[in-house]
Amino acid sequence: MPILTSEALFRRLFFQWGVLLLIALAATGWMASRDFVQLNASVYDHMIAWSDRPVNDDILIVAVDDRSLREIGRWPWSRLVHAALVDRLREAGVQAVMMDILFLEAEGDGKADRRLGDAMARAGNVYVPLARAPMATPGAPPVVYPPLPDIADNAAGIGHINVEADLDGKVRRLYLCEGVIGQVVPHLTWALFDSLVSKGLATGMAMPGEEIQSIHNTPSWHRDHLVRVPFRGSPGAFPRVSYSSVLLGEVPDELLKDRIVLVGATASGLGDRYAVPVSGRMGTMAGVEIQANLLNGLMDGYVITELGKAARILLSMVPVLALMIALLVSRMRYVHALMALMVGLTMAACALALRLGIWWPPAASLTGLVLFYLLWQWRSQSVILRWFSTEIESLSSEPNMVPEAGGSSGMRWGSTLHRRVMALEAGVQQLRASRRFVTDMLDSLPVVTFLVDGEAKVKAANRKARWLVGNPAGVESWKLRDALLTVVPADAVPVFLSEAGRFADVRHWHGQAFFDRWGNHYRIEVAPLWTAITLDAGWLISLVDMTGERRAAEQRAHMLRFLSHDMKAPQASMLALLDMQNGTAALPAREFHARLERQVRSALDMIEDFMQLAKVEFGALDFREVLLANIAMDALDRAWPLAQAKGIRLESDNLDDDGGPIWGDQGFLVRAVFNLLENAIKYSPPRSVVTLSVLQSGDRVICQVSDQGVGIASHDIPYLFESYRRFDADNMATGLGLGLAFVKTVMDKHNGEIQCRSVVRQGSTFTLNFPAYADAGD
């Protein structure tokens, strides 16, 4: 069965992802073409509430508030009161006055209305609204009520004050033009702004907003230039004074001079209040404050307009398309991060556009992103699960040498997804077990093993290999040559590892040998690795430890020398003495027997040393709890005659019956300590002192033998404990050099350590370091 690679899987999924993208784009475009106010309202309200644009101090609200109602009387007030206010504002020198108050019905005989009209005529800068009544019948145009003729004729401008409440009841938008076809009037705020532009008090601008015709399926009613009110803060952000305080002269002329005054009701009982994005959860904003926010935006050149339908649809599709491209480029490795990034970028773009005075509703884009993400996740996981099922079935048909941890559940019930997940779990467990099996098998190999590729780069190494190069964590990606150079002595790099080596290809390394820094000898064996997947998977490089065989060969060579030369020498000397004694040069009997005895004893000593070393190397030791102090006393007793014969004083330190419990073979330990004492006596001058001490330090038991003899040269100390090594000290050395080798072997068998510290012609100190019995027993 062919293997479906990840590349092939991605190519197979590409067409399906394209279909999903088209579905998501179509859904996004359809949602962008509709006015889903509820989905966008919350985003818009939060963004507009974060606005930090300042309030224009030239705008002043004269509020019909609760205080004014108490001081002037019940609403509505006489037109004479309004006329007095207009005169007061004219005298104070205000730039313009906008009356957010309807003057639709005549008062009494009309004198009060005429008085107000005269006051407005004298001022010449008063703007008044008209009213729009609800439709009488469905389909009929709304009825428009203009101000009274006396007021309309003397007003500087007339306009509507209508606002649009969204489905949630909040006022966010209004039309700058509205009315019956042929009698369309501007918004009162725009009329006031237009007059300020003509006076040079504001910078002119084209009427903003998109044209939207017809309302409630009524073709005779026209409105256009839809804009959003650029709110500058919560209710009360604009400076205001009480209506009655202005009438009573409590407000100084300096506060009113050159201001643009908006007169309107702010008292809650008058009903002219609306819920707006910045009014808080339960608060409302007076209509005159809404006009103030709009006028402020017009004067600053910042009015929020809405994108046209075509631009809104195209722009809403961009994040969905960008997410698709990002997923393909990133190879789906950062799917969740990319989704969060696209959502964040969409919200940032929406906020930036609002900052520039353009409202782009993000709900369609966000919904499209979520829709595409969910469809993509569903389809991708479905295909991948199916791919896993196919691969697991293929894996199950492959030969399996891995021991089964447990029987298969063989589950055949549950949903398709459940069965696929269970199959995937079984497959993953099998893969994990196979990988663990291969790793454990590689680590279980008794030799150092590397798996390298065709460029001699290490792909895997077993535990022995990692410890050899001093990198237990792993040597993967190393060059094999670099790995071996870490253990080869710098002054003894073999030719095949050198820069000028002629074995650049590892396949030619087969049979090569080298030494590591610790004296171990290795032979390299190379074998090609063949697999069913590829014919050239790499090379298996094994380092066969030949140290034991090499040492055995050296031992055989030394034994042959011992048998052929060292054992032969005293026997030849004895034969020479016998021949001499039978000849004319015969020695006196006493001298002859003395010489013959020395040669016999020399031969016996050599045989004894050889046999003792062979016993400790190849024999079974009898381990039990012993006291190192007792072993030291026995060794002193055996060495005492030798010391007495040479006039050397033996001293002991820290020896007692309870000193130094260790786990060991008493006979071999006594022989080892005696060998050190014998050497100390042999290489010490007469009338000197040899000291033997035993002490316990924590979990270690230490035995030291010190002398005042000829000492050992520093360059000889590293080779002291090798077999058949002799170091002539003033021509005093005799024997085979097996004494210290025997001591070293005994210490190795007891997990101990031996060290030598020596100064030529001053003496030597040998230290035996054992684990205490408590640790040894554990």
Side-chain angles (χ1 to χ4, degrees), residues 474-488:
V475 294
E476 286 72 11
S477 77
W478 284 24
K479 285 284 189 179
L480 179 59
R481 176 179 176 274
D482 297 334
L484 295 183
L485 286 176
T486 62
V487 299
V488 173

Side-chain angles (χ1 to χ4, degrees), residues 299-323:
M299 295 179 67
D300 290 349
Y302 175 73
V303 179
I304 303 171
T305 59
E306 298 188 359
L307 280 176
K309 180 179 292 187
R312 189 166 67 242
I313 292 174
L314 293 176
L315 191 58
S316 297
M317 291 181 178
V318 169
V320 181
L321 185 60
L323 177 61

Side-chain angles (χ1 to χ4, degrees), residues 98 175 185 238 263 314 348 501 639 652 667 772:
M98 187 180 78
Y175 292 91
V185 296
F238 284 88
V263 182
L314 293 176
S652 60

Side-chain angles (χ1 to χ4, degrees), residues 615-668:
K615 283 182 181 179
V616 76
E617 283 184 343
F618 305 107
L621 279 67
D622 182 15
F623 283 93
R624 64 185 63 191
E625 181 185 1
V626 295
L627 295 178
L628 191 55
N630 294 341
I631 291 171
M633 293 297 295
D634 291 346
L636 282 173
D637 291 341
R638 294 180 61 178
W640 186 82
L642 299 177
Q644 286 297 107
K646 199 172 180 180
I648 292 176
R649 186 172 78 253
L650 293 179
E651 293 185 353
S652 60
D653 187 18
N654 297 331
L655 297 183
D656 56 70
D657 294 339
D658 297 327
I662 62 174
W663 187 255
D665 185 302
Q666 181 161 349
F668 284 115

